[in-house]
Amino acid sequence: MFIESLTPDQLVQFAQLVIFAAFLGALVGVVAVPLLAQLLDLLLGGLVKAVRGPGARVRDLRMSRRLHLTAAMTARRELRKLRHG
């Protein structure tokens, strides 16, 4: 066996190398997994938008406009309340 042929010093170095490789792998995984998830979301999101009909885009724009108008009206109402006590 490979491990049985190692001297104690070599065995310690091998163990350190394995621990370092595991740490490096975990670090790369922590960084790579969210990036891959975002990339997959972008790809699938773009695919869903491409597959949907043209009416869906119009509905999305109308909903976005409605939300912005609602937020603007709420902000105006709150400012009025602050001004008039």
Side-chain angles (χ1 to χ4, degrees):
M1 288 292 224
F2 168 71
I3 291 182
E4 293 171 351
S5 65
L6 295 177
T7 65
D9 288 338
Q10 290 174 331
L11 191 60
V12 168
Q13 286 180 344
F14 180 71
Q16 288 174 342
L17 181 66
V18 168
I19 291 169
F20 178 71
F23 174 75
L24 193 61
L27 189 64
V28 168
V30 164
V31 172
V33 168
L35 290 176
L36 288 174
Q38 286 181 345
L39 180 64
L40 185 64
D41 185 44
L42 283 175
L43 290 174
L44 291 178
L47 183 63
V48 167
K49 286 181 182 175
V51 170
R52 292 189 316 171
R57 173 87 174 132
V58 172
R59 280 192 305 275
D60 285 349
L61 287 174
R62 284 184 186 152
M63 181 61 79
S64 175
R65 192 176 306 133
R66 189 177 305 145
L67 288 173
H68 285 111
L69 283 173
T70 304
M73 290 171 64
T74 304
R76 279 191 210 129
R77 190 178 321 118
E78 293 300 320
L79 279 174
R80 227 178 284 132
K81 284 181 187 175
L82 287 174
R83 274 190 236 142
H84 299 303

